């Protein structure tokens, strides 16, 4: 009888919240259920078959539990205790200060409906001379019970196969430490060193994805960083446990998860051999190209998928900070929204997959890219980061859809760049519109120090008042990369960027136009895309008109472009020219006037007067 | 006929202020027989445009310049077809501004 639960143990304890000495303590035996570790102690529910009480075990019991001498569903004799009331919830909590193991573990939880004789089956291992089974099995044993509660009857075969209980990433939280996850490393950062007030060390992080596609970022510092940096390999699957969860710092959030994980020296990382195909390679959430607007200049990274329309040659860009030269390649992609966007690939992406794309560009491959930064160059632009992943012709349903769209209608369709002529209702979403920062020309010209340190952006409504007919209106450009070409010895043109000769080149506008508005006038630098729209034909076509006969059609074309009012998005910069500082105003975007929208804008301005 | 002063921009609400005066208003054609045009003003009220006029296409916008007859009718002198695309709300705002704060700019 000493080996069974004391009847009404819980109510006895509740009636006796703080026994004076051990002589008075009735030496209650309770069953330990829902045993779980919290830090290096254990909490459980003390059960007497009728009632349960939240309880904690003294830390000296932890080693016995870890050794397997006491397990979930075991019996303990409470020698000394205190009953507390939790201030927040008014719940009663039993603090066991002294106890001893009666039975390591019973097969089942003792409940009301179980007869005392039948229910209790004592396993023959309640003495110290227990064979220490491997810890794995111990975990599995209590896991079985818990699983049984959670999932009902698990098929025995499945239980056998499962050597580990795995939690879905989505269930992780800072308040439950006993988990194991099975995840693939979908991104591995570089090992960086840092120095702060607390010292210095190394840090790196990985992005983990599990079976359901949930992602979380895990960071490791100092010793943990060194320990796991070589262990984690991109693309491989691992079991991870004993990590710390905390609420993610939204400023640095790169994956969609409210929490982020830190792994320390006590964390466990084990590579999974075998069953790994259930975990996806990389999870994409694609943004259609025509919906990239709101992300411009924001912190959120985007994924895109599109058909490659063109791939530039590899260019060398000099980094301003340390004069390093970095390879860069621009690719233009299009999708079903009938818009195109330029993606800049850098370093390894430029030379590796970028070259691959150039080679197969004629087959109009589909490319899926993850984690791109959205910039505002030419309205909307995408730039790869070191963490970006580029997949060529991926095995994704979106990829097949794109291919078939392109083959049926996309190929022949004329598509606009998503950034050109952008007009949006709200300047708040980072997309610079023709209605935000609207100024008069005099506002710019009367202030020579505008754009001194860094370029300033405005929108203006101005009328083209003069296009000089005998200015150099264009430059000879490489047909592939649009860079300036020089006349080659012999025939043709030489492109420094592409490092090759071409018989033909294209002409691209680069010119100045005089514009006026009610407050004044100034010269604007205009580039190819906008000049084409203002003049109404390409530079090649205009040149032809110039050469033709007496050039009167050329003069006429320029005349027709004059005295037309446009909306311009301009950049104001300072240039040094012959040791003199000059203000230079360049056109970034142009659009013709939408009278309804413009009227509304004016009415708003009037109401502010 | 009072031709000395410029035609005032009006909508249905402002019309009664200018009985006997020359005004201009834009209406959307609801009904058009040879005798009169029934139109919807830019502030969504009904106006009658009198005079023997050619029929205008229904739901087109027309500008009427004429003398105000009654609280809701104009004796038309010149009627111009403005077409199908016209932003009535902006015109309405114009009428309000031209007769309110900025009247001095117009009259």
């Amino acid at each position: 009888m000493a080996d069974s639960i004391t009847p009404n143990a819980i109510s006895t304890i509740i009636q006796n919240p703080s026994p004076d000495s051990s002589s008075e303590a009735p030496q209650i035996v309770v069953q330990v259920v829902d045993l779980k570790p919290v830090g290096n102690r254990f909490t459980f529910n003390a059960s007497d078959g009728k009632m349960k009480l939240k309880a904690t075990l003294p830390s000296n019991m932890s080693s016995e539990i870890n050794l397997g001498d006491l397990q979930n569903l075991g019996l303990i004799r409470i020698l000394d205790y205190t009953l507390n009331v939790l201030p927040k919830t008014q719940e009663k909590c039993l603090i066991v200060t002294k106890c001893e193991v009666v039975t390591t573990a019973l097969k089942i939880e003792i409940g009301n409906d179980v007869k005392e004789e039948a229910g209790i089956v004592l396993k023959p291992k309640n003495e110290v001379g227990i064979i220490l089974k491997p810890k794995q099995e111990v975990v599995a044993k209590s896991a079985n019970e818990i699983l049984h509660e959670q999932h009902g009857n698990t098929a025995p075969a499945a239980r056998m196969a499962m050597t580990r209980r795995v939690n879905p990433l989505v269930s992780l939280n800072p308040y439950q430490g006993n988990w194991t996850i099975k995840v693939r490393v979908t991104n591995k950062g570089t090992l960086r060193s840092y120095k702060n007030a607390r010292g210095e060390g190394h840090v790196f992080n990985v992005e983990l994805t599990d079976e359901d596609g949930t992602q979380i970022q895990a960071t490791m510092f100092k010793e943990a960083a060194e320990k796991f940096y070589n262990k984690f390999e991109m693309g491989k699957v691992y079991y991870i446990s004993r990590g710390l969860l905390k609420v993610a710092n939204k400023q640095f959030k790169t994956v969609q998860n409210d929490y982020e994980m830190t792994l320390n020296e006590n964390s466990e990382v084990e590579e999974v051999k075998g069953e790994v195909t259930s975990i996806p390679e990389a999870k994409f959430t694609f943004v259609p190209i025509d919906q990239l607007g709101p992300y411009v200049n924001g912190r959120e990274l985007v994924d895109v998928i599109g058909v490659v329309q063109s791939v530039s040659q590899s260019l060398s860009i000099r980094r301003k900070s340390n004069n390093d030269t970095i390879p860069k390649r621009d690719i233009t992609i299009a999708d079903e929204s009938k818009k195109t966007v330029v993606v800049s690939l850098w370093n390894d992406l430029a030379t590796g997959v970028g070259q691959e794309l150039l080679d197969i560009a004629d087959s109009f491959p589909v490319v899926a890219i993850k984690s791109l930064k959205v910039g505002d160059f030419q309205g909307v632009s995408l730039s790869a980061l070191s963490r970006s992943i580029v997949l060529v012709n991926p095995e994704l349903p979106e990829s097949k859809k794109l291919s078939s769209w392109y083959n049926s209608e996309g190929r022949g369709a004329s598509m606009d760049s998503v950034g050109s002529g952008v007009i949006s209702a709200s300047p708040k979403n980072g997309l610079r519109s023709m209605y935000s920062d609207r100024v008069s020309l005099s506002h710019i010209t009367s202030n020579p120090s505008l754009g001194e340190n860094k370029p300033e952006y405005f929108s203006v409504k101005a009328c083209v008042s003069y296009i000089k007919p005998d200015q150099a209106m264009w430059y000879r450009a490489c047909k592939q990369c649009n860079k300036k070409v020089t006349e080659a010895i012999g025939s043709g043109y030489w492109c420094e960027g592409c490092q090759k000769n071409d018989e033909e080149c294209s002409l691209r506008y680069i010119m100045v136009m005089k514009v006026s508005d009610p407050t004044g006038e100034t010269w604007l630098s205009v580039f190819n895309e906008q000049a084409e729209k203002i003049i109404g034909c390409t530079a090649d076509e205009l040149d032809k008109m110039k050469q033709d006969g007496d050039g009167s059609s050329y003069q006429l074309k320029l005349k027709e472009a004059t005295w037309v009012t446009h909306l311009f998005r301009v950049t104001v910069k300072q240039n040094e020219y012959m040791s003199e500082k000059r203000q230079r105003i360049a056109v970034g975007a142009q659009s013709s006037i939408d009278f309804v929208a413009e009227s509304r804008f004016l009415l708003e301005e009037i109401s502010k007067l | 006929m009072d031709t000395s002063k410029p035609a005032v921009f009006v909508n249905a609400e402002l019309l009664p202020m200018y009985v006997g005066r020359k005004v201009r208003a834009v209406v959307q054609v609801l009904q058009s027989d040879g005798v009169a045009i029934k139109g919807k003003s830019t502030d969504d009220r009904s106006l009658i445009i009198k005079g023997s006029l050619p029929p205008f296409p229904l739901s087109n916008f027309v500008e009427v310049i004429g003398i105000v007859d009654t609280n809701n009718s104009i004796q038309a002198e010149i009627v111009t077809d403005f077409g199908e695309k016209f932003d009535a709300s902006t015109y309405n705002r114009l009428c309000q501004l031209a007769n309110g704060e900025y009247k001095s700019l117009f009259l």
Side-chain angles (χ1 to χ4, degrees):
Chain A
M1 282 317 274
D3 281 337
S4 63
I5 296 176
T6 313
N8 302 313
I10 302 301
S11 29
T12 309
I13 293 173
I14 292 179
Q15 278 158 19
N16 237 328
S18 40
D20 285 330
S21 63
S22 47
S23 56
E24 211 189 88
Q27 306 231 334
I28 297 164
V29 176
V30 294
Q31 184 175 32
V32 169
V33 298
D34 304 321
L35 179 66
K36 42 176 173 253
V38 173
N40 51 9
R41 307 180 107 228
F42 285 86
T43 63
F44 67 105
N45 279 328
S47 163
D48 66 356
K50 284 210 196 111
M51 289 170 67
K52 281 196 201 153
L53 189 55
K54 206 169 146 99
T56 64
L57 285 171
S59 43
N60 55 25
M61 285 306 289
S62 302
S63 50
E64 295 204 43
I65 298 171
N66 285 329
L67 283 172
D69 291 346
L70 174 63
Q71 297 172 27
N72 195 36
L73 302 184
L75 299 179
I76 55 167
R77 180 175 293 115
I78 301 175
L79 302 171
D80 203 359
Y81 69 88
T82 310
L83 192 66
N84 273 358
V85 178
L86 294 176
K88 272 194 207 159
T89 57
Q90 294 298 310
E91 256 185 281
K92 294 201 182 357
C93 181
L94 170 67
I95 317 282
V96 178
T97 44
K98 214 158 137 204
C99 66
E100 61 186 19
V101 181
V102 171
T103 310
T104 305
L106 300 181
K107 254 210 167 132
I108 48 159
E109 188 181 317
I110 305 295
N112 296 346
D113 45 357
V114 177
K115 293 210 184 104
E116 280 187 298
E117 306 87 44
I120 303 169
V121 175
L122 292 180
K123 302 213 87 190
K125 45 176 188 171
N126 49 358
E127 300 303 329
V128 178
I130 294 170
I131 310 154
L132 284 177
K133 298 259 170 73
K135 196 163 172 193
Q136 202 110 334
E137 201 181 315
V138 166
V139 171
K141 188 129 190 17
S142 50
N144 273 351
E145 302 300 335
I146 299 168
L147 269 177
H148 190 83
E149 283 163 23
Q150 285 183 349
H151 300 297
N153 286 318
T154 322
R159 274 211 309 246
M160 294 299 230
M162 209 160 40
T163 50
R164 290 261 192 157
R165 173 171 65 105
V166 163
N167 302 77
L169 264 182
V170 73
S171 73
L172 259 45
N173 65 67
Y175 316 108
Q176 228 283 39
N178 192 19
W179 46 259
T180 302
I181 52 174
K182 185 177 173 190
V183 287
R184 189 187 297 274
V185 174
T186 44
N187 219 318
K188 182 176 168 185
T190 45
L191 188 65
R192 305 185 299 274
S193 34
Y194 68 88
K195 203 160 153 181
N196 61 23
R198 282 176 285 183
E200 56 178 43
H202 298 288
V203 61
F204 87 105
N205 44 34
V206 287
E207 186 186 283
L208 307 168
T209 310
D210 78 349
E211 208 168 30
D212 305 322
T214 323
Q215 299 183 304
I216 195 167
Q217 176 167 289
T219 310
M220 284 137 280
F221 291 95
K222 295 193 199 157
E223 299 85 359
E226 277 151 42
K227 181 173 173 192
F228 294 122
Y229 185 71
N230 292 320
K231 190 131 194 218
F232 277 126
E233 277 178 58
M234 175 79 183
K236 288 212 174 150
V237 182
Y238 302 87
Y239 287 122
I240 303 179
S241 32
R242 296 197 198 281
L244 278 145
L245 247 17
K246 63 176 202 259
V247 177
N249 186 340
K250 299 253 184 292
Q251 238 191 341
F252 300 112
K253 205 152 85 139
T254 46
V255 297
Q256 281 290 78
N257 199 316
D258 293 331
Y259 297 119
E260 58 182 5
M261 190 187 304
T262 309
L263 300 179
N264 55 33
E265 293 181 289
N266 298 325
S267 307
E268 289 170 10
V269 173
E270 196 187 299
E271 190 182 329
V272 176
K273 313 241 191 283
E275 236 309 308
V276 294
T277 46
S278 57
I279 306 200
E281 294 274 333
K283 183 160 180 256
F284 290 93
T285 14
F286 295 118
V287 177
I289 294 178
D290 65 344
Q291 288 175 30
L292 286 172
Y295 296 90
V296 170
N297 289 332
R299 255 177 260 119
E300 202 177 330
L301 304 176
V302 299
D303 305 338
V304 291
I305 186 167
V307 176
V308 177
Q309 295 219 301
S310 64
V311 183
S312 79
Q313 290 287 346
S314 182
L315 313 162
S316 278
I317 305 290
R318 197 174 285 275
R319 192 192 285 187
K320 282 203 184 98
S321 52
N322 56 5
N323 258 340
D324 275 353
T325 40
I326 313 177
K328 173 194 182 195
R329 202 186 286 269
D330 283 338
I331 63 171
T332 307
I333 60 171
D335 70 0
E336 289 129 310
S337 67
K338 294 219 183 73
K339 290 276 182 215
T340 65
V341 68
V342 177
V343 182
S344 299
L345 302 172
W346 307 87
N347 289 315
D348 294 333
L349 286 176
T351 50
V353 72
Q355 180 67 48
E356 193 191 320
L357 286 172
L358 179 65
D359 295 335
I360 58 170
D362 292 336
S363 64
F364 297 110
V366 173
V367 67
I369 315 179
K370 191 166 171 61
S371 308
L372 289 167
K373 197 165 71 158
V374 188
D376 63 0
F377 183 68
Q378 306 216 306
V380 179
S381 58
L382 296 173
S383 182
L385 306 167
S386 54
R387 52 174 305 140
S388 303
I389 303 178
V390 179
L391 295 182
V392 179
N393 287 322
E395 283 291 314
L396 295 168
E398 290 95 337
S399 171
K400 298 189 179 58
K401 238 177 85 185
L402 260 176
S403 277
S404 55
W405 161 78
Y406 198 72
N407 284 325
S408 55
E409 52 167 298
R411 197 187 286 261
S414 69
M415 290 184 262
D416 275 336
S417 152
V418 63
S420 57
V422 221
I423 297 180
S424 97
S426 145
K428 278 181 273 191
N429 57 12
L431 187 59
R432 299 289 173 258
S433 81
M434 295 297 184
Y435 301 97
S436 61
D437 319 301
R438 182 74 78 87
V439 296
S440 59
L441 285 181
S442 61
H443 174 94
I444 302 176
T445 54
S446 62
N447 193 347
S449 63
L450 269 182
E452 207 160 23
N453 297 319
K454 69 175 189 153
E456 301 220 23
Y457 300 91
F458 303 104
S459 61
V460 290
K461 179 169 75 183
C463 185
V464 175
S465 50
Y466 186 51
I467 305 177
K468 227 189 316 188
D470 10 277
Q471 60 172 306
M473 280 192 193
W474 46 71
Y475 67 99
R476 292 191 186 280
C478 168
K479 286 193 141 166
Q480 263 83 49
C481 71
N482 289 335
K483 265 190 137 86
K484 184 169 173 194
V485 295
T486 49
E487 272 173 41
I489 310 159
S491 71
Y493 304 95
W494 167 259
C495 174
E496 194 62 49
C498 302
Q499 291 283 309
K500 69 176 217 263
N501 246 28
D502 207 328
E503 272 306 305
E504 294 177 353
C505 66
S506 55
L507 296 175
R508 286 176 70 81
Y509 284 117
I510 178 139
M511 58 194 294
V512 286
M513 293 183 188
K514 199 163 190 199
V515 297
S516 306
D517 81 348
T519 66
E521 57 181 10
T522 187
W523 294 92
L524 296 181
S525 302
V526 190
F527 305 103
N528 199 54
E529 283 80 22
Q530 289 78 38
E532 270 186 15
K533 288 210 249 166
I534 295 170
I535 295 179
C537 66
T538 66
D540 285 299
E541 289 165 350
L542 192 65
D543 184 45
K544 207 156 173 295
M545 285 187 226
K546 195 173 183 186
Q547 317 282 10
D548 252 354
D550 59 356
S552 56
S553 54
Y554 168 76
Q555 299 279 2
L556 183 62
K557 198 78 182 170
L558 291 185
K559 219 171 177 181
E560 284 172 344
T562 321
W563 303 117
V564 177
T565 308
H566 302 270
L567 294 175
F568 297 106
R569 190 78 201 153
V570 296
T571 314
V572 184
K573 281 198 261 212
Q574 290 270 326
N575 262 1
E576 267 218 35
Y577 184 70
M578 317 265 241
S579 73
E580 211 186 81
K581 283 215 197 242
R582 280 213 203 153
Q583 192 181 63
R584 185 163 171 250
I585 313 172
V587 173
Q590 166 275 352
S591 76
S592 27
I593 308 219
D594 171 347
F595 290 101
V596 178
E598 187 67 21
S599 302
R600 298 227 181 95
F601 173 75
L602 290 174
L603 282 170
E604 218 186 289
E605 295 287 286
I606 292 172
S607 67
K608 292 186 203 156
L609 286 174
Chain B
M1 179 152 345
D2 196 339
T3 55
S4 55
K5 298 198 184 124
V8 187
F9 283 93
V10 296
N11 54 17
E13 198 184 0
L14 297 160
L15 195 65
M17 286 167 51
Y18 296 99
V19 177
R21 286 273 312 269
K22 186 154 86 168
V23 298
R24 62 170 79 219
V26 171
V27 296
Q28 188 174 27
V29 178
L30 296 173
Q31 257 183 310
S32 170
D33 51 39
V35 177
I37 293 174
K38 185 151 157 217
K40 183 167 80 162
S41 70
T42 52
D43 51 349
D44 269 347
R45 305 234 296 259
S46 202
L47 293 180
I48 313 286
I49 314 298
K50 293 179 184 167
S52 63
L53 311 152
F56 286 98
L58 290 183
S59 83
N60 266 27
F61 291 89
V62 296
E63 186 199 44
V64 179
I65 305 176
I67 308 289
V68 180
D69 205 12
T70 67
N71 275 2
N72 64 349
S73 64
I74 303 174
Q75 184 70 239
E77 285 162 28
I78 308 169
V79 181
T80 321
D81 186 356
F82 271 11
E84 294 167 16
K85 265 183 84 177
F86 188 83
D87 191 62
S89 61
T90 313
Y91 188 87
N92 203 51
R93 255 329 258 140
L94 167 65
C95 293
Q96 290 168 338
L97 290 170
N99 285 285
E101 259 185 285
Y102 301 99
K103 198 167 179 174
S104 52
L105 292 177
F106 291 82
L107 298 174

